[in-house]
Amino acid sequence: MKKPLLLLLCSAALLRAAPPASDELLVGLQTCMETGKDVAPLLEHLDDLPAAEMKKLSASVEKVWPQIRAQYVSELEKTAKVISSGPEKNKNQARIRELRTQFQEVYRLEEGPMKPLLKTKSMPAVEELRALMLPNPETVIKAGGSKLGQLRKGAIILATFRDAVLNTELSTIPADAMATLQAAEKRAADEISGLDKDALRILDMNAKTAAKDEVPAEEVKGIEECNLWRLLVGLNACVLDPKLCEAARDHSKDMAEKGFFAHESPVPGKKTPWDRAANFGTSASGENIFAGSDSSHAANSGWFYSPGHHKNMFSPGQNRIGLGQHGNHWTQLFGR
């Protein structure tokens, strides 16, 4: 680590022959940050510190944390910018166009010839598009080389220690150091993402809508996966419609409890998808149903490999989406 950090952590008190416990922990922290040594043994001593020593330790850590965080985040952002403007970008864009064309060629086929190609062409195209367009933070970190790696190692050790100190102290300061680093890494990955920024805003808006309307987590997960697939192949992301989720969930429940599996329901007033959407104050333009698993990924995969359902999922005209689960039954609704 750089010497300024050492000077910040190691005050004159550290040079005394018999340093207090808090100063010993700071020396140990400095060693961990410089060598990458596990910080966990230091954390075991936090509960034993007197209140005055804990306060002193916390103040010292708070003093250095902004500098270390800023050094790492700055290098992370610099690396992301280099990647996003480098020669690989044009090469990737050409390949993205090829893969999207491949996907759409299969989509336009009749259902018979389309079916085997969904596994041999369409899903491989989606998987390669994901690798090209949705890089994870590790992609940026690796590209940053040893310099970024060293900064990250020190930042993570300090963040871990800081959060533990604040939690032990029962401080009013949020113990959010690790969360802050993770958010910065996600932003860096988003910076080099090939996804349209407006589309990413729709995904963020969907997450907020789901939280506000308390849409079940597995349904949210399934909607996000479907939207990501649509974005990867060049389509729009659909806006989450909580009312469509309610209508879909209700149909899944009816199918599970009344022993039928069909788009046409025997329940009075719920015969068609359009009836069911209207019952919940919205409208629908397409419906997919699935049974056999409580996993949203299993439902999405089942629909992906089924030509008729696939055409529904990847119709360019879909603008809204809802997903409803009841046990192993799933209903997916779209709206224009």
Side-chain angles (χ1 to χ4, degrees):
M1 303 300 295
K2 293 183 178 180
K3 192 168 183 179
L5 170 62
L6 183 62
L7 295 177
L8 280 169
L9 285 175
C10 301
S11 64
L14 296 183
L15 302 178
R16 295 183 301 199
S22 62
D23 292 338
E24 289 180 321
L25 288 175
L26 285 174
V27 172
L29 174 61
Q30 179 68 30
T31 300
C32 290
M33 293 176 67
E34 291 176 344
T35 64
K37 189 177 178 181
D38 187 7
V39 75
L42 297 181
L43 307 183
E44 296 175 2
H45 298 290
L46 294 179
D47 285 330
D48 300 327
L49 282 183
E53 287 296 303
M54 178 60 75
K55 185 175 181 180
K56 180 181 176 182
L57 178 64
S58 179
S60 296
V61 172
E62 286 305 297
K63 185 177 180 182
V64 72
W65 164 242
Q67 177 188 330
I68 299 304
R69 177 190 62 210
Q71 287 176 351
Y72 173 53
V73 172
S74 176
E75 191 65 24
L76 190 68
E77 292 172 345
K78 187 189 303 182
T79 302
K81 286 179 181 177
V82 170
I83 296 172
S84 63
S85 60
E88 284 296 309
K89 183 177 180 181
N90 291 335
K91 181 180 176 181
N92 285 351
Q93 287 177 334
R95 181 57 179 159
I96 287 167
R97 287 192 293 270
E98 291 175 6
L99 291 166
R100 285 176 167 177
T101 297
Q102 174 181 313
F103 185 92
Q104 290 301 328
E105 285 173 350
V106 176
Y107 181 83
R108 288 191 289 268
L109 294 173
E110 294 297 322
E111 292 190 11
M114 176 193 207
K115 186 173 178 62
L117 297 179
L118 292 175
K119 286 189 176 181
T120 60
K121 283 195 171 183
S122 298
M123 183 52 80
V126 169
E127 290 172 346
E128 187 174 346
L129 285 164
R130 181 189 296 274
L132 290 170
M133 301 178 68
L134 291 175
N136 54 37
E138 285 70 29
T139 303
V140 184
I141 294 162
K142 184 177 179 181
S146 59
K147 180 180 180 180
L148 183 60
Q150 283 297 109
L151 288 172
R152 182 175 190 263
K153 186 185 300 180
I156 287 176
I157 289 171
L158 180 57
T160 302
F161 190 84
R162 175 186 183 266
D163 286 349
V165 168
L166 292 174
N167 284 326
T168 304
E169 190 187 16
L170 301 179
S171 173
T172 57
I173 300 173
D176 59 359
M178 279 301 300
T180 298
L181 296 184
Q182 290 165 355
E185 290 173 350
K186 183 180 183 303
R187 286 195 303 272
D190 288 345
E191 181 67 28
I192 63 172
S193 168
L195 295 183
D196 179 76
K197 296 299 183 284
D198 288 335
L200 291 174
R201 281 191 283 272
I202 290 177
L203 298 186
D204 287 340
M205 180 181 71
N206 283 353
K208 292 174 183 175
T209 299
K212 180 175 73 71
D213 286 81
E214 298 182 344
V215 179
E218 193 65 19
E219 293 177 6
V220 175
K221 183 179 175 182
I223 288 169
E224 183 178 71
E225 180 176 55
C226 179
N227 264 334
L228 284 176
W229 284 350
R230 287 177 61 88
L231 290 173
L232 290 173
V233 300
L235 299 173
N236 62 297
C238 294
V239 175
L240 189 158
D241 182 346
K243 293 179 179 179
L244 279 180
C245 288
E246 292 181 52
R249 201 177 303 125
D250 187 64
H251 186 55
S252 295
K253 183 173 183 289
D254 283 344
M255 288 192 294
E257 294 183 350
K258 300 184 185 304
F260 73 95
F261 183 72
H263 294 291
E264 187 169 301
S265 172
V267 181
K270 301 181 182 180
K271 183 176 181 179
T272 69
W274 337 126
D275 295 332
R276 297 190 286 274
N279 288 342
F280 286 88
T282 187
S283 61
S285 58
E287 180 183 76
N288 289 332
I289 57 176
F290 174 88
S293 173
D294 62 359
S295 160
S296 61
H297 176 69
N300 278 333
S301 297
W303 294 324
F304 188 101
Y305 294 120
S306 171
H309 299 94
H310 184 97
K311 286 186 180 289
N312 250 350
M313 288 180 80
F314 296 98
S315 170
Q318 315 290 27
N319 291 310
R320 291 178 291 113
I321 187 172
L323 185 64
Q325 175 192 15
H326 186 85
N328 288 342
H329 285 72
W330 292 86
T331 303
Q332 183 182 54
L333 284 170
F334 291 98
R336 296 186 185 278

